[in-house]
Amino acid sequence: MKKSIYIFNNGELKRKDNTFYFETEKGKNYLPIENINDIYVFGEVSVTKKFLELMSSKEIIVHFFNYHGYYTGSFYPREHYNSGYMILHQSRCYLDYAERLKLARNFVRGSGINMLKVLYYYENRGSDLSNVIEAIENLLDEVDKALDIEQLMAIEGNMREYYYRGFDEIIDDENFRFKRRSKRPPKNYLNALISFGNSMLYVTVLSEIYKTHLDPRIGYLHTTNSRSFTLNLDVAEVFKPIIVDRIIFKLLNTRMITADDFERDMGGILLSQKGRKTFIKEFDQRMNSTIKHRKLGRNVSYRRLIRLELYKLQKHFMGEEEYTPFKARW
């Protein structure tokens, strides 16, 4: 099974024949390229042209984060699987507003249903979440009534606002009260965790899109523009509650991450390097852990689950099968 590589130290990524190594002041660390799915760079790292050529030939995406842990961009090699036919059908579904709205509704519906699954799980374990659950259930009923993307985004935003209120019931730590959502920079510990976790999921979905015929630049809930990838943001909405949020609850309720794992910078709160390493270790374990897939009748990893979601989208664009979002059963 291929794995993700996470680089926190400063150094240089260089090519050596048909493999590569990471060089620091302490020496060279050669990496087995055939076993690598993607690379996440958090340290101050320089790369060579030959290294990037190798990444392109081996179809490996490299994601870059700045000193503060913010995602800054990806080296996205030329698309080996790009299909002009698929791009035409993706574009058709975007340009036909009724088709775009149908897909956007599914992303919001999937997100809301999986929020509820998380809330049901913790309510069954003693958290008082009935009011939050009722509010989200009512908002879910409004999804099919939305007449445009803006209304859908408002519904999704309202669902998430109620959902985040439930975090204070689930998390047993006074240092991690939600208060309100804040980004760039986050204003408290919990927002810092949410922002970092969401970024990790966005780029993971991007890595999986690269392995399909889909074009990540064409999104449906998140408006396609000339500056950034958007399809990965759409798909990530479905998986945030069951991947990112469940990781956050585990890390905080088991005290694997505490207030000591944060630092103040840029006018806000950020995860320290130690905190990022702890989160990524759990994130990597979750992506590789497996669940029983109802349709396939066998266990698949969460990473594979994301890929299967993308295959469902491909079938939708080709007119083979209507897309329905993944819904957690636990």
Side-chain angles (χ1 to χ4, degrees):
M1 182 177 65
K2 291 191 175 183
K3 61 181 181 179
S4 298
I5 298 295
Y6 305 94
I7 297 176
F8 291 93
N9 296 327
N10 300 336
E12 188 171 6
L13 286 164
K14 296 181 178 179
R15 178 176 183 171
K16 176 65 174 178
D17 298 325
N18 204 35
T19 188
F20 72 103
Y21 60 90
F22 181 55
E23 185 173 18
T24 67
E25 294 177 349
K26 296 180 179 179
K28 300 176 181 178
N29 180 24
Y30 284 85
L31 299 164
I33 194 166
E34 300 301 332
N35 296 327
I36 294 175
N37 186 70
D38 47 13
I39 300 173
Y40 298 72
V41 177
F42 294 90
E44 293 298 317
V45 173
S46 59
V47 299
T48 64
K49 177 173 174 284
K50 288 184 178 180
F51 166 77
L52 294 178
E53 289 172 349
L54 181 64
M55 295 300 100
S56 182
S57 68
K58 297 296 184 179
E59 304 171 22
I60 297 174
I61 294 184
V62 186
H63 304 295
F64 295 93
F65 296 75
N66 66 15
Y67 170 79
H68 301 286
Y70 286 134
Y71 171 66
T72 54
S74 298
F75 172 69
Y76 197 80
R78 68 182 174 84
E79 294 88 342
H80 293 258
Y81 300 103
N82 241 7
S83 163
Y85 195 55
M86 181 63 71
I87 293 174
L88 285 174
H89 284 281
Q90 259 191 271
S91 302
R92 176 187 60 79
C93 285
Y94 182 85
L95 295 171
D96 183 331
Y97 196 79
E99 283 294 314
R100 180 187 170 194
L101 190 59
K102 183 193 301 182
L103 273 173
R105 283 186 180 127
N106 270 314
F107 291 129
V108 173
R109 186 180 298 109
S111 176
I113 289 171
N114 287 331
M115 287 181 204
L116 286 173
K117 293 296 183 181
V118 171
L119 295 171
Y120 294 150
Y121 177 88
Y122 284 99
E123 186 182 47
N124 289 336
R125 283 154 179 77
S127 297
D128 182 12
L129 299 165
S130 56
N131 290 337
V132 174
I133 288 171
E134 182 181 2
I136 294 177
E137 287 175 338
N138 290 336
L139 284 165
L140 264 178
D141 291 337
E142 300 298 314
V143 169
D144 284 332
K145 301 175 186 177
L147 301 177
D148 54 42
I149 302 296
E150 289 71 25
Q151 286 184 23
L152 266 180
M153 292 291 281
I155 292 169
E156 195 276 336
N158 288 334
M159 282 197 300
R160 196 158 288 279
E161 183 178 343
Y162 280 108
Y163 176 61
Y164 284 143
R165 291 180 191 176
F167 279 34
D168 288 350
E169 291 293 328
I170 296 171
I171 298 168
D172 183 26
D173 192 328
E174 288 297 324
N175 288 315
F176 290 89
R177 301 296 90 180
F178 181 73
K179 298 179 182 177
R180 64 183 180 84
R181 186 74 175 106
S182 56
K183 309 175 185 178
R184 289 194 176 271
K187 298 300 183 183
N188 63 32
Y189 301 137
L190 186 52
N191 273 282
L193 269 177
I194 293 170
S195 292
F196 184 73
N198 287 349
S199 292
M200 288 298 299
L201 184 59
Y202 294 149
V203 296
T204 298
V205 176
L206 181 61
S207 288
E208 293 306 304
I209 290 175
Y210 181 68
K211 303 296 195 301
T212 72
H213 296 300
L214 297 169
D215 191 315
R217 296 168 295 185
I218 305 174
Y220 302 87
L221 177 63
H222 295 84
T223 303
T224 295
N225 56 52
S226 60
R227 299 182 305 278
S228 60
F229 301 121
T230 49
L231 184 61
N232 59 320
L233 306 184
D234 286 353
V235 175
E237 292 298 330
V238 176
F239 292 98
K240 280 180 188 177
I242 59 175
I243 295 179
V244 176
D245 301 334
R246 288 295 300 270
I247 290 173
I248 289 173
F249 299 148
K250 177 181 178 180
L251 291 173
L252 296 182
N253 286 335
T254 59
R255 306 295 191 268
M256 294 169 69
I257 283 183
T258 68
D260 293 334
D261 292 305
F262 296 81
E263 54 192 30
R264 293 187 177 275
D265 207 335
M266 299 177 63
I269 303 290
L270 300 170
L271 263 176
S272 65
Q273 178 166 295
K274 177 177 174 290
R276 292 197 292 270
K277 286 182 176 179
T278 301
F279 189 99
I280 286 172
K281 182 179 179 181
E282 191 64 31
F283 181 85
D284 197 55
Q285 289 177 353
R286 176 61 58 93
M287 297 309 300
N288 291 318
S289 64
T290 61
I291 62 170
K292 183 71 171 291
H293 192 282
R294 298 187 300 276
K295 190 172 182 180
L296 296 180
R298 58 181 172 84
N299 287 345
V300 299
S301 69
Y302 278 88
R303 181 179 285 274
R304 184 65 181 175
L305 202 60
I306 292 171
R307 180 86 64 86
L308 292 172
E309 197 76 358
L310 299 172
Y311 290 156
K312 284 158 57 178
L313 282 171
Q314 287 187 163
K315 288 182 178 181
H316 177 91
F317 295 134
M318 300 302 290
E320 297 174 10
E321 186 178 322
E322 284 288 309
Y323 170 73
T324 56
F326 173 78
K327 301 170 186 176
R329 281 295 177 96
W330 36 257

